[in-house]
Amino acid sequence: MTTIDKTAHVPAPRESVSGDGPLLDVRDLHVEFHTRDGVAKAVNGVNYTVSAGETLAVLGESGSGKSVTAQTIMGILDMPPGKITQGEILFRGQDMLKMSNEERRKIRGRKIAMIFQDALSSLNPVLSVGYQLGEMFRVHQGLSKKEAKAKSIELMDQVKIPAAAARISDFPHQFSGGMRQRIMIAMALALEPDLIIADEPTTALDVTVQAQVMDLLAELQREYNMGLILITHDLGVVADVADKIAVMYAGRIVETAPVDELYSRPAHPYTKGLLESIPRLDQKGQELYAIKGLPPNLTRIPAGCAFSPRCPKAQDICRTDVPPLVPVTEQDGLELVGRGSACHFWKETIHG
Amino acid sequence: MAELKKEPVDATPNVSAVETVDVATEAEAVAAIDAPVSQGEPILQVRNLVKHFPLTQGILFKKQIGAVKAVDGISFDLYAGETLGIVGESGCGKSTVAKLLMTLERATAGEVFYKGQDITKLSGRALKAVRRNIQMVFQDPYTSLNPRMTVGDIIGETFEIHPEVAPKGDRRRRVQDLLDVVGLNPEYINRYPHQFSGGQRQRIGIARGLALNPEIIICDEPVSALDVSVQAQVINLMEKLQDEFNLSYVFIAHDLSIVRHISDRVGVMYLGKMAEIGTDTQIYDHPTHPYTQALLSAVPVPDPSAREGRDRIILTGDVPSPANPPSGCRFRTRCWKAEERCATEEPLLAIPERFVAGSTPATHESACHFAEERDVVHAA
Amino acid sequence: MPDTTALKSTDASATAVDAPPATDTGPAPGKPRSLWSDAWHDLRRNPLFIVSMVLILLLAVMSIFPGLFTSASPREANLAEHYLQHPNWGHFFAPDWLGYDGQGRSIYARLVYGARASITVGVVVTLAVTITGLIIGMLAGYFGGWIDTILSRITDVFFGVPFIVGAMVILTSFEKRSVWVVILSLAFLGWTSIARVARGSVITIKQSDYVVAAKALGASTTRILTRHILPNAIAPVIVVATIALGGYIAAEATLSFLGIGLAEPTVSWGIDVSAAKDQLRNAPYVLVIPSVMVSITVLSFLMFGDAVRNALDPKMR
C-alpha cells in the first residue's frame, strides 16, 4: 500500500507491484535557496511515493519546485545555495538524507538513475559513448574492458541505436539529439536501477523523435519493472505515459490523481485552469482560457494558498489559511482512490 | 471577415503571377510601400525563396566545400489580416524563413514581394520603410531585450530609428500607451528587463514590435519559452492586437496545437521545402502528406482516454542533414510509402491530381506523389 | 471558416488578457535596478572590495598630493647624517620613520613620492590598452570576415612577443626614459589580451536576439555598436583591465629594477629596490619596504579586479 500524503492518508491509485511498500517515499520535504534577493522557498512540504513498475508524473511550471525535488532525491542539489530544511527521503524504507556520502553514492546510479533534458551537456564530449557506457560496468561491476564493451553494445542495441557495434567508438556530438537521449537512457539503465528519474526527457526533442523516445522509455520500464518519476510541464506527454500525477505549484503538491481522473475531473482550480488554457490539436476552439497573473516569486510566496492571487474562486480564507492536501471524495462521500486536492473549495471545483 | 478570407483559401495554385510595381526612384518605392492594402489581398508574396549557407574550410583562404540548404525554394502568400502558421521540426528552415522575410539574411535566390516590391533587393531608405511595416517578435524573451536598457529605452529606440513616426515630445507617452496596450503597467517604463518575468518580457517584445504600427509581424516561436499558464495570456493578447491593429501574422512554431489555435492557414515545412499548405481544417483534419500525418500523430494529446484509440505513426530515424538532402522527395528516407519514383522525381507543391476535380477539404496543396487523406488527430 | 470568425470577433471577452497584477506578482516594488546598480549593491557589501578600495584611494591621494603625507623631500640626500640610518618605528609618518637609504634619503618620503610613478603607469597604461583593445576587438568581432582575420592575426603576433622582453627592446631604443616612454612600451604590447576578450564577448553579443531586433528595426551600425554591443561587451573588459592594472604596476617596478625602466631622478619603488639590492645584508629594510609597497599596491588592484568580476559575472546572477 502506498500513500501520497502522510498527513492526509490519501491511498495510492493501485497496489504496489513489489508488495513490500513503496520504492521511494518522499516525506514533508522542504528545500530553500539563499539568494541575493532573500530566501527562495523552492520546496515547501512535498510528499509523494513511487512503487516498482509505476510511473509518477510530476507536473509543474518553472519554479514549481519539481526539478529541485528530483535533484534533492538524487543528492545532486547545489548546497549552498540550496538547503534542505526539513523532511525525509525514504528509499526502500531507509532515509537517504541520513546516510553517509559513501552510502548515497552506492544508491546513486546503481539503484536510482537520472535522465536529464539536455543530453549533449550531460555526456562527456571528449570520451566515446562506448567508453562512457563501459565505465559504468567497469567501475560498478568490475568487468574487464572486453566484457564492458560487449555489454555496452548490448545496451545500445536495447535502446535501439542502429549499428550499435559500429558506432560504439563515436563521440556524443556525432549523434543526433534523439540518439543522444537514447544513449543517456542506456547509461541510466546500465546498472538496472530500481527507479529512474527523468527530468523533462523529451522537451529538447522534436515531436516525431519525442514520440520514439517516450515509447522506448515506457517499454523499458515495463520490461525491467522500474519505478519512473517523469518530471515535465507538458500535459500531453503526461497523458500519454503516466499512471498517477502530482501537480506542483510554488513548491507544494496541489493535486494528486490517477491520470484519467485528473484530466476528466480536476479537483484544483490550478489544474483546471491549466487544462483549459492549452489549445487542442483536434479542434479549433474559441478564445483560450488564460490563468491571470504570473507564477509567484519564491522569495515572496503569497500568504495562505499560493495560487489565491490568480484563482477565480479565491475567498478570504484562501488568503489566510494554507489549504492542506485532503482526500477527494464523490458527492456521496465515496472515496476516490488516490485523489487529493490542496484547495479549500475542492468540492465546488470537482462537483460544481 | 470570414467571407474575405474564403477567397485565398479556395484559390487554386498558390504561386500566382505577382503584379510588380515599376518604380524608378527610391521615393516612389517608399510611397508604394506605405500605400494601404485592402483586406483579403496578398500583402506578402514569397516566390521560390532559397537560402544556402556556404560551408567553408580553411582559416585565411576560405574555400567553399558545400552548402547547408536551409531554405530550398519555397513559395506562399500572406493575406492582409490573416495568420499564416508555419510548422516543422528543428532544422526544417522555418526560422531562416523568418530571417529572410525580415531581410536579416540575404536570400540566395527567389523573391519576397511586399506590395509589389521585391524586398530582397531593396536597400537604404526603401528597406527602412519596409522594416517599419514588417516587424518581428522573438522566441526568447530573456535574450531579445537589451539588459542594459530600460523598458522605455527599448521601446523608445524604435522612434529614435524612425523619428518620423512620433515627434520627440510625444515619445514617452507613446511608449506608455504601448505598455498599456500589451497589458503592462505604464509606470514600469523605467524598469530594466531582468526585473520582469518571462511573460511580461514577451509583452515588452510585442510592444516593441507594435511601436511602428507595422502591417505584418513575423512571430518566431513567440510562446515556446513561456510557462504553460502564461502562454495562453500571450496568445490571447496577440489575437486581440491582430483585431485591433489589423495585423497579418506569420506565426512560426513547433507546437502544432498552438499553431492550429491561432492560424487561419498553415504550411508544413520539411528540410527546407514546403510539404503541405492549406487552411487549418484542411491540414489538421484532412492531411494528405505523409509527413504532416506523422507529425500530427506524434503530438501528445492531453487526454488519457485518447491513448489507445489514436492512429499513431512512429517515424524511424532522424531528419537527414540539410547539407546533403535526399534526392527526389526529401521525406522519402523516413516515409513508409516511398517508392522508386520518390527518389528520382521531386514532388511539386500543388493540389494532387486525384483531388483536383473535387472540392473536399483534401483539395489543397501537398507535395507528395502518393497523397491521400488520413485523419490521425481524432481518436477512432 | 466559421470557427475563425468566432475567434476573431472583437467583442470576445477580454478578461483573459488581464494585465498582470502590479502588486503581488509584478516586479519588485523597489526602484528600477540596472545591472550596474545591482553590481554596486554587491560590491558595497564585499569586504574585499572595501579594503582594496580604501587602499587604492589612499594610493591615489598619495600620488596626487604627496605633500599631505610627508614634509620631507624624496631627493634630499644627507649621507653624512643619515647613511643607512635604521628605522625609528615609533616615529609614525616622520621622515625617519622607515629609516634612510644608502644615499641618506628618507625611505618614507621616497615611498610616498614613488606612488605617483606607479599609479600613473598603471592607470594610463590600462586606459590606453583598454581603449585600443576595445576598438580593435570590437571591429574584429563585429565585422568578422577579412577584417577579423587581419586584426586577429596582428593581435596574435603582438601576443606572441614576451611582454617584459618586448618592453625592454622598446625601452632600450629610447635615450631618455621618462614615465611616458615606459607607458608607451607597456601599452604597445599590453592591448592584446583586452582585444581578445572584447572580440570574444562582441561575437557572443552580436548574435543575441536584441542585436538582431535592433537590426530588424533598421538601426544603423553605429547605433548597434554604441547602444547595444558596447554596453554589454564592456563588463568582461573592465574585469580584465582592473586585474591587468596591478600587473602593469608590477611590470614598471620590474623594468625599473632591471635598470631599463624609469631612471633617476624620477622617484620609483622599482628604482629603490634595485638600488637597495647591494645593501641587503646590512640593511634589509631598504629593500624590503619598497618591495612590500609594490606588493600591497599590486594586491589592492588584484583584489579590486576580483571583486568587480564577482559582481559583474553574469553567471552569479
Side-chain angles (χ1 to χ4, degrees), chain B residues 241-302:
Chain B
L241 296 172
Q242 180 167 43
D243 292 341
E244 217 167 293
F245 300 102
N246 190 29
L247 299 166
S248 311
Y249 288 145
V250 175
F251 193 97
I252 295 166
H254 69 277
D255 186 321
L256 290 131
S257 312
I258 288 176
V259 169
R260 169 160 211 181
H261 178 82
I262 198 165
S263 304
D264 301 308
R265 289 190 308 130
V266 178
V268 182
M269 279 186 75
Y270 185 79
L271 221 53
K273 295 263 185 198
M274 196 69 90
E276 188 170 2
I277 189 165
T279 64
D280 74 278
T281 320
Q282 288 171 343
I283 298 295
Y284 284 78
D285 299 341
H286 309 276
T288 64
H289 195 287
Y291 175 64
T292 312
Q293 292 161 358
L295 194 64
L296 287 170
S297 85
V299 177
V301 168

Side-chain angles (χ1 to χ4, degrees), chain C residues 27-40:
Chain C
K31 294 281 146 257
R33 279 163 40 208
S34 73
L35 294 181
W36 292 113
S37 72
D38 270 7
W40 174 237

Side-chain angles (χ1 to χ4, degrees), chain C residues 248-308:
Chain C
Y248 297 134
I249 291 175
E252 180 270 317
T254 309
L255 290 171
S256 300
F257 173 82
L258 293 174
I260 43 161
L262 296 174
E264 298 272 11
T266 311
V267 186
S268 151
W269 299 330
I271 298 172
D272 287 0
V273 173
S274 175
K277 61 185 187 288
D278 303 328
Q279 286 118 10
L280 183 60
R281 273 160 195 272
N282 49 354
Y285 61 90
V286 184
L287 186 138
V288 170
I289 290 167
S291 309
V292 167
M293 198 63 189
V294 173
S295 301
I296 290 175
T297 311
V298 172
L299 199 67
S300 315
F301 281 104
L302 288 181
M303 286 192 321
F304 179 76
D306 235 26
V308 170

Side-chain angles (χ1 to χ4, degrees), chain B residues 139-290:
Chain B
Q139 168 174 13
D140 188 345
Y142 289 89
T143 60
S144 61
L145 306 177
N146 187 338
R148 307 273 176 205
M149 284 163 84
T150 64
V151 171
D153 289 342
I154 288 169
I155 302 171
E157 190 182 25
T158 56
F159 303 130
E160 282 174 31
I161 297 168
H162 298 272
E164 70 282 4
V165 177
K168 218 165 188 167
D170 201 28
R171 288 179 191 164
R172 197 182 156 83
R173 195 188 53 76
R174 286 282 284 265
V175 172
Q176 289 182 322
D177 285 351
L178 282 162
L179 287 176
D180 192 44
V181 163
V182 298
L184 286 174
N185 187 339
E187 285 164 27
Y188 293 171
I189 187 162
N190 289 326
R191 301 278 166 88
Y192 286 85
H194 68 117
Q195 293 177 283
F196 294 89
S197 69
Q200 290 175 317
R201 282 164 167 242
Q202 199 56 305
R203 288 171 193 263
I204 298 167
I206 293 171
R208 173 176 60 191
L210 279 177
L212 299 171
N213 275 326
E215 292 179 316
I216 301 172
I217 296 188
I218 316 284
C219 315
D220 188 5
E221 302 268 10
V223 296
S224 64
L226 304 180
D227 271 325
V228 185
S229 74
V230 179
Q231 282 186 356
Q233 292 175 0
V234 173
I235 292 283
N236 286 344
L237 171 69
M238 294 185 66
E239 294 193 316
K240 187 190 91 164
L241 296 172
Q242 180 167 43
D243 292 341
E244 217 167 293
F245 300 102
N246 190 29
L247 299 166
S248 311
Y249 288 145
V250 175
F251 193 97
I252 295 166
H254 69 277
D255 186 321
L256 290 131
S257 312
I258 288 176
V259 169
R260 169 160 211 181
H261 178 82
I262 198 165
S263 304
D264 301 308
R265 289 190 308 130
V266 178
V268 182
M269 279 186 75
Y270 185 79
L271 221 53
K273 295 263 185 198
M274 196 69 90
E276 188 170 2
I277 189 165
T279 64
D280 74 278
T281 320
Q282 288 171 343
I283 298 295
Y284 284 78
D285 299 341
H286 309 276
T288 64
H289 195 287

Side-chain angles (χ1 to χ4, degrees), chain C residues 53-75:
Chain C
M53 201 62 224
V54 167
L55 284 170
I56 287 168
L57 280 176
L58 208 68
L59 285 164
V61 176
M62 202 180 268
S63 61
I64 301 168
F65 308 109
L68 290 178
F69 293 82
T70 180
S71 52
S73 158
R75 295 190 184 87

Side-chain angles (χ1 to χ4, degrees), chain A residues 236-245 259-260 263, chain B residues 301 303-312 379:
Chain A
V237 170
V238 173
D240 268 1
V241 297
D243 295 319
K244 61 180 187 182
I245 299 182
V259 64
D260 309 292
Y263 285 82
Chain B
V301 168
D303 181 4
S305 59
R307 240 192 238 189
E308 311 301 330
R310 276 181 75 209
D311 183 6
R312 297 259 278 173

Side-chain angles (χ1 to χ4, degrees), chain C residues 13-308:
Chain C
S13 72
T15 48
V17 207
D18 274 352
T23 46
D24 51 358
T25 51
K31 294 281 146 257
R33 279 163 40 208
S34 73
L35 294 181
W36 292 113
S37 72
D38 270 7
W40 174 237
H41 176 90
D42 266 19
L43 283 175
R44 270 185 325 197
R45 284 143 198 259
N46 187 345
L48 205 68
F49 173 76
I50 292 167
V51 170
S52 60
M53 201 62 224
V54 167
L55 284 170
I56 287 168
L57 280 176
L58 208 68
L59 285 164
V61 176
M62 202 180 268
S63 61
I64 301 168
F65 308 109
L68 290 178
F69 293 82
T70 180
S71 52
S73 158
R75 295 190 184 87
E76 189 189 298
N78 191 336
L79 270 175
E81 273 180 50
H82 296 309
Y83 175 72
L84 290 185
Q85 185 186 321
H86 282 241
N88 196 339
W89 299 116
H91 287 195
F92 288 111
F93 309 118
D96 65 339
W97 178 31
L98 302 174
Y100 288 83
D101 68 6
Q103 295 183 53
R105 297 175 301 195
S106 162
I107 293 179
Y108 174 60
R110 289 192 69 81
L111 218 52
V112 170
Y113 280 85
R116 180 174 289 176
S118 293
I119 301 289
T120 312
V121 169
V123 170
V124 177
V125 171
T126 305
L127 279 177
V129 298
T130 307
I131 292 166
T132 323
L134 205 55
I135 290 172
I136 291 177
M138 259 175 61
L139 293 178
Y142 186 74
F143 291 103
W146 61 270
I147 296 180
D148 182 27
T149 309
I150 291 171
L151 290 177
S152 293
R153 285 318 137 241
I154 293 173
T155 312
D156 287 349
V157 168
F158 276 84
F159 195 77
V161 180
F163 190 55
I164 293 289
V165 176
M168 283 165 70
V169 172
I170 296 165
L171 280 166
T172 47
S173 64
F174 279 87
E175 262 175 44
K176 194 173 163 290
R177 299 196 301 268
S178 67
V179 172
W180 298 102
V181 175
V182 172
I183 286 171
L184 181 80
S185 71
L186 292 177
F188 190 68
L189 293 169
W191 57 272
T192 52
S193 51
I194 301 271
R196 287 183 159 199
V197 170
R199 176 177 173 272
S201 86
V202 167
I203 286 175
T204 318
I205 286 157
K206 80 166 175 185
Q207 292 161 349
S208 61
D209 281 350
Y210 55 83
V211 172
V212 179
K215 279 186 197 160
L217 284 171
S220 64
T221 305
T222 324
R223 167 177 287 275
I224 289 171
L225 280 173
T226 54
R227 291 289 304 267
H228 296 280
I229 304 245
L230 185 63
N232 286 287
I234 203 147
V237 170
I238 287 177
V239 169
V240 172
T242 39
I243 290 174
L245 207 160
Y248 297 134
I249 291 175
E252 180 270 317
T254 309
L255 290 171
S256 300
F257 173 82
L258 293 174
I260 43 161
L262 296 174
E264 298 272 11
T266 311
V267 186
S268 151
W269 299 330
I271 298 172
D272 287 0
V273 173
S274 175
K277 61 185 187 288
D278 303 328
Q279 286 118 10
L280 183 60
R281 273 160 195 272
N282 49 354
Y285 61 90
V286 184
L287 186 138
V288 170
I289 290 167
S291 309
V292 167
M293 198 63 189
V294 173
S295 301
I296 290 175
T297 311
V298 172
L299 199 67
S300 315
F301 281 104
L302 288 181
M303 286 192 321
F304 179 76
D306 235 26
V308 170

